[in-house]
Amino acid sequence: MVYVTIKVDQGGNVIEASPGAKGTTNSAKCLLDAAKKAALKTKWNADGKAPETQKGTIIYKFTLSK
């Protein structure tokens, strides 16, 4: 699992992503890079009444497949 700390703007766009936060169980560079890329593509609901930026965490669970 890779925990990614994110910042989101009022438009619901992830404007900053930092993979490897507390809780991460695998810190392989390839997984951290993939988690960051996915987090930056994530879109949340826009809210003009929300704070200018909000912080949160996304958890990505990577598994081996055949």
Side-chain angles (χ1 to χ4, degrees):
M1 291 195 315
V2 176
Y3 283 58
V4 183
T5 302
I6 60 168
K7 284 188 182 178
V8 180
D9 66 14
Q10 288 178 325
N13 303 299
V14 176
I15 56 173
E16 189 176 310
S18 301
K22 185 177 181 178
T24 296
T25 58
N26 189 329
S27 58
K29 183 175 178 355
C30 61
L31 297 181
L32 296 178
D33 291 346
K36 181 176 182 175
K37 185 176 179 180
L40 289 170
K41 289 182 179 180
T42 301
K43 179 76 173 175
W44 302 90
N45 292 332
D47 185 352
K49 295 179 182 177
E52 191 172 313
T53 60
Q54 297 182 72
K55 294 180 184 179
T57 304
I58 301 175
I59 304 167
Y60 291 97
K61 183 177 180 181
F62 293 92
T63 58
L64 293 173
S65 60
K66 294 181 180 181

